[in-house]
């Protein structure tokens, strides 16, 4: 059964009208849900109507199952859905507001060699409502509501591959950026992908001006194939070409993610090769990420992050090192979920 949060405003209005209820009920309902409330908490809507709705839909699908706070102020949330599945999210506080890192799938089928999310494969896609619920429930936890937005920025960098759950992610993006919901501008949303070329092209035509982030993690095809199985299907060069097309179509600067892994991709020769292979007539930036070590994966963080970024900059490639946050609370995607699953079994 669909949850009531899976409906966008238009769909909710149609549904309410189909029950012969006045339109303002749809507005009340949407406001309540997007303030992070369950139907049963909405005393402004009559009990009979709420019960009627619950015959057709499931209620707000998500609860906060655990919350951890890091020494640096970063918070980690673990959410539980109606079927018992859990995913995690990270909330980072910046000068201008809060950024929430959101998950799009339970698990992931990409199985990148450094990542915790793919350790147990893909369990299932999240629905648009389940993706939304993460933002709405944390916004509420921060004391916000649909009228008082606490979360200003979203990164789709939690567990899962967003473009492998394309339709639900697009529906989520359209709802969360709408005026009736939290009205978060797509310009404040980053979507990170492992490089599904056909979906990048599709996304470029959606007219959603978000920031596209591509996980490259390598300076050539051979390294990429070793670190990321998906590189067998979408070659290094094809990914770069898709990024160029994306920029040409949308005018949005593309960000490459590059986690430096000791002995795998972190030499200055790799930096030189990367600079050479990224060249082209388009705007991009390289984010160097210190690897968050995942015990089961056995890969080690490199000490070369700053030297690597410096080399890129010298070669004319704009690059910065991303600071790490929340390391003491298993901040990297999928790490905490795996720990909880292990502890509970
Ligand atoms: N599936 C999407 C989102 C993944 S998470 C993608 O591939 O982009 C967001 C980023 O974190 C990706 O760049 C991913 O490669 C990176 N990442 C995953 N595990 C990591 C780890 N252990 N240390 C550092 N970065 C990691």
């Amino acid at each position: 059964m669909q949850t009531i949060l899976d409906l966008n405003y238009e769909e909710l209005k149609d549904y309410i009208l189909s029950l012969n209820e006045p339109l303002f009920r749809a507005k009340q309902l949407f406001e309540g849900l997007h303030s992070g409330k369950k139907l049963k908490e909405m005393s402004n809507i009559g009990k009979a109507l709420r019960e009627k709705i619950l015959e057709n839909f499931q209620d707000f699908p998500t609860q906060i199952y655990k919350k951890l706070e890091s020494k640096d102020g970063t918070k980690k949330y673990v959410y539980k859905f109606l079927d018992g599945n859990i995913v995690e999210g990270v909330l980072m506080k910046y000068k201008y507001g809060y950024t929430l890192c959101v998950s799009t799938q339970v698990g992931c089928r990409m199985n990148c060699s450094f990542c915790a999310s793919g350790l147990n494969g893909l369990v299932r896609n999240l629905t648009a409502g389940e993706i939304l619920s993460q933002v709405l429930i944390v916004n509420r936890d921060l004391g916000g509501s649909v009228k008082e937005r606490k979360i200003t920025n979203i990164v789709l960098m939690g567990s899962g591959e967003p473009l492998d759950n394309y339709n639900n992610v697009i529906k989520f993006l359209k709802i969360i950026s709408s005026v009736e919901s939290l009205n978060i501008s797509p310009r404040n949303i980053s979507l990170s992908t492992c490089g599904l070329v056909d979906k990048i092209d599709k996304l470029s035509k959606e007219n959603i001006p978000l920031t596209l982030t591509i996980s490259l993690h390598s300076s050539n095809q051979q390294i990429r194939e070793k670190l990321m199985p998906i590189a067998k299907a979408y070659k290094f060069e094809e990914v770069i070409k898709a990024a160029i097309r994306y920029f040409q179509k949308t005018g949005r600067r593309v960000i490459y993610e590059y986690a430096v892994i000791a002995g795998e991709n972190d030499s200055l020769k790799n930096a030189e090769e990367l600079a050479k292979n990224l060249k082209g007539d388009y705007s991009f930036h390289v984010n160097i990420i210190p690897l968050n070590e995942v015990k089961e994966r056995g890969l080690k963080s490199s000490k070369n992050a700053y030297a690597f970024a410096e080399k890129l900059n010298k070669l004319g490639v704009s690059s910065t090192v991303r600071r790490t946050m929340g390391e003491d609370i298993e901040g990297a995607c999928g790490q905490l979920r795996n720990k909880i699953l292990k502890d509970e079994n």
Side-chain angles (χ1 to χ4, degrees):
M1 200 193 267
Q2 257 195 325
T3 83
I4 188 70
L5 196 58
D6 283 312
L7 303 189
N8 63 29
Y9 193 41
E10 290 307 313
E11 290 166 336
L12 191 66
K13 283 196 287 195
D14 288 346
Y15 170 65
I16 289 296
L17 290 178
S18 78
L19 298 177
N20 290 322
E21 292 284 337
L23 259 187
F24 75 89
R25 288 282 178 222
K27 188 163 191 284
Q28 283 179 321
L29 191 54
F30 199 82
E31 277 185 9
L33 289 167
H34 286 251
S35 294
K37 289 187 189 155
K38 286 194 188 307
L39 258 174
K40 54 176 175 245
E41 296 175 82
M42 296 180 205
S43 49
N44 57 340
I45 297 174
K47 199 155 180 248
L49 176 57
R50 284 185 276 149
E51 279 170 4
K52 176 81 206 146
I53 295 170
L54 290 175
E55 285 171 21
N56 302 128
F57 293 95
Q58 289 189 298
D59 206 341
F60 191 96
T62 310
Q63 66 180 76
I64 294 173
Y65 178 62
K66 270 198 173 89
K67 190 163 93 176
L68 302 177
E69 189 155 353
S70 164
K71 284 186 239 120
D72 62 21
T74 303
K75 285 187 193 146
K76 185 112 197 185
Y77 286 88
V78 180
Y79 320 99
K80 193 174 219 158
F81 300 116
L82 296 170
D83 65 356
N85 268 307
I86 59 173
V87 298
E88 57 204 276
V90 181
L91 181 75
M92 292 153 284
K93 191 171 186 342
Y94 293 100
K95 273 188 249 96
Y96 49 79
Y98 285 99
T99 297
L100 186 67
C101 177
V102 168
S103 293
T104 54
Q105 296 178 317
V106 183
C108 183
R109 62 192 179 115
M110 300 305 156
N111 199 22
C112 296
S113 64
F114 43 82
C115 182
S117 298
L119 278 168
N120 299 305
L122 175 68
V123 178
R124 68 172 175 86
N125 280 332
L126 295 182
T127 69
E130 286 171 330
I131 303 171
L132 258 175
S133 69
Q134 300 166 47
V135 184
L136 304 178
I137 208 170
V138 173
N139 192 56
R140 181 182 185 183
D141 194 53
L142 293 168
S145 66
V146 73
K147 294 204 178 87
E148 204 188 332
R149 183 181 62 200
K150 299 285 184 187
I151 295 176
T152 50
N153 296 64
I154 294 172
V155 294
L156 295 180
M157 295 189 185
S159 70
E161 165 51 47
L163 298 186
D164 189 38
N165 184 13
Y166 192 87
N167 292 340
N168 287 319
V169 166
I170 297 295
K171 187 169 190 185
F172 156 75
L173 291 168
K174 288 186 174 159
I175 297 177
I176 200 72
S177 58
S178 68
V179 283
E180 295 86 6
S181 181
L182 292 195
N183 197 10
I184 296 178
S185 162
R187 289 170 197 282
N188 294 339
I189 301 179
S190 295
L191 182 152
S192 183
T193 176
C194 62
L196 307 183
V197 167
D198 49 344
K199 299 288 171 45
I200 292 175
D201 284 332
K202 198 168 173 198
L203 181 66
S204 73
K205 298 180 191 120
E206 298 282 357
N207 210 3
I208 304 176
L210 50 73
T211 298
L212 178 68
T213 298
I214 299 180
S215 301
L216 202 58
H217 305 318
S218 51
S219 55
N220 63 39
Q221 171 64 14
Q222 202 190 358
I223 299 175
R224 192 164 146 87
E225 232 179 273
K226 187 170 171 211
L227 295 176
M228 304 174 73
I230 192 66
K232 293 192 181 74
Y234 300 102
K235 304 278 187 254
F236 183 93
E237 244 177 65
E238 291 308 315
V239 173
I240 307 299
K241 282 189 194 152
I244 295 175
R245 286 195 299 275
Y246 188 87
F247 172 74
Q248 286 166 342
K249 177 97 186 133
T250 65
R252 306 281 303 155
R253 182 171 78 152
V254 172
I255 312 263
Y256 292 110
E257 304 272 48
Y258 195 109
V260 272
I261 308 174
E264 301 288 339
N265 64 0
D266 65 330
S267 74
L268 294 183
K269 276 220 148 40
N270 291 134
E272 279 168 20
E273 187 178 38
L274 181 64
K276 185 167 97 350
N277 284 336
L278 289 185
K279 69 178 184 304
D281 190 15
Y282 67 115
S283 176
F284 65 93
H285 178 83
V286 180
N287 248 337
I288 303 298
I289 318 171
L291 184 78
N292 221 318
E293 290 175 10
V294 174
K295 213 169 57 236
E296 295 88 334
R297 295 295 196 182
L299 295 169
K300 294 281 172 229
S301 186
S302 165
K303 294 187 176 64
N304 294 351
Y306 285 93
F308 199 96
E310 198 184 328
K311 183 82 189 166
L312 286 177
N313 282 309
K314 270 200 186 125
L315 295 169
V317 169
S318 133
S319 170
T320 43
V321 178
R322 190 207 279 165
R323 70 191 163 114
T324 53
M325 288 171 110
E327 271 182 306
D328 54 329
I329 51 169
E330 313 270 357
C333 30
Q335 275 188 317
L336 189 58
R337 171 170 179 266
N338 286 325
K339 188 164 182 292
I340 291 172
L341 291 181
K342 263 195 210 143
D343 290 351
E344 286 181 352
N345 287 321

